[in-house]
């Protein structure tokens, strides 16, 4: 049975988080197709991984068979997270925009799993070709032609970072998520609601389409 790696990084609870809501829609549709499948879940807000330190980073450049006991211990979490990624048939990531970019917890996860010569830095990596869906929610509008287009560092960064892992990444982007709570955005509520509905539709559709690959 197929394996889904599901990562959420929003610090908001499910009932208030746009990205968690949409990833939940994806996961529900996926599990409906594969009720006996495996889901590996990482909530990086509830259980953040530590920032990559020097010892763990250095150990990534030494073949595992040559690790000292100290290097093996330092590399243990990187190995665990990377094996989860390598075992996934599909990856699902919730990546809300915080201060124009991704949550630091998601960046920490990426720092652990980007390993030169294994998951990155080669034409064919151990994660090449894995379908990946990223729910990149944001409170305002940062799409092409908007005044803040140049401030968008979520899809621009993740497209490159996940691309370096060989992941085949698609983005679902619910925008204007603060419209109902910010009086200054009152005239954008209708657009926000449409964006939200479209995101949920895309999530369900992509989940079903990807699940069908492993029928």
């Amino acid at each position: 049975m197929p394996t889904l790696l599901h990562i959420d990084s929003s610090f908001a609870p499910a009932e208030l988080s746009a990205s968690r809501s949409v990833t939940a829609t994806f996961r529900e549709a996926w599990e409906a197709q594969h009720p006996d499948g495996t889901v590996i879940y990482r909530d990086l807000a509830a259980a953040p991984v530590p920032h990559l330190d020097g010892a763990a980073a250095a150990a990534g450049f030494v073949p595992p068979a040559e690790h000292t006991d100290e290097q093996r211990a330092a590399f243990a979490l990187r190995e665990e997270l990377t094996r989860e990624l390598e075992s996934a048939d599909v990856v699902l990531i919730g990546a809300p925009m915080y201060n124009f970019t991704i949550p630091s917890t998601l960046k920490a996860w990426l720092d652990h799993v980007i390993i030169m010569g294994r998951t990155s830095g080669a034409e064919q990596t151990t994660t090449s070709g894995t379908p990946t869906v990223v729910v990149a929610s944001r409170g305002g509008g940062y799409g092409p032609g908007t005044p803040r287009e140049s401030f968008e560092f979520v899809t621009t960064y993740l497209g490159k970072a996940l691309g370096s892992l060989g992941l085949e990444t698609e983005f679902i982007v619910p925008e204007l998520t603060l419209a109902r709570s910010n009086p200054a955005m009152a005239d954008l509520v209708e657009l926000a609601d449409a964006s939200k509905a479209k995101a949920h539709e895309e999530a369900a559709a992509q989940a079903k389409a990807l699940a069908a690959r492993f029928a």
Side-chain angles (χ1 to χ4, degrees), residues 21-114:
S21 176
V22 177
T23 60
T25 291
F26 181 103
R27 179 167 167 176
E28 181 180 357
W30 170 272
E31 291 182 320
Q33 302 299 312
H34 294 294
D36 298 322
T38 299
V39 176
I40 301 171
Y41 183 55
R42 287 271 176 184
D43 187 334
L44 298 179
V49 298
H51 290 296
L52 185 66
D53 62 21
F61 293 97
V62 178
E66 299 176 16
H67 279 174
T68 65
D69 289 343
E70 181 181 0
Q71 289 172 329
R72 192 173 299 109
F75 194 71
L77 178 59
R78 298 192 73 186
E79 182 67 30
E80 177 184 352
L81 296 173
T82 301
R83 284 186 179 274
E84 289 178 352
L85 177 60
E86 291 170 333
S87 72
D89 294 295
V90 173
V91 179
L92 171 65
I93 300 174
M97 177 186 282
Y98 293 158
N99 297 317
F100 312 120
T101 189
I102 64 173
S104 63
T105 51
L106 181 55
K107 177 60 165 63
W109 178 83
L110 284 164
D111 287 340
H112 281 282
V113 301
I114 295 176

Side-chain angles (χ1 to χ4, degrees), residues 91 93 131-135 162 167-172 206 210:
V91 179
I93 300 174
T132 300
V133 175
V134 177
V135 178
L162 298 176
L167 303 180
E168 297 180 355
T169 305
E170 297 287 340
F171 290 95
I172 296 174
Q206 289 199 30
L210 289 172

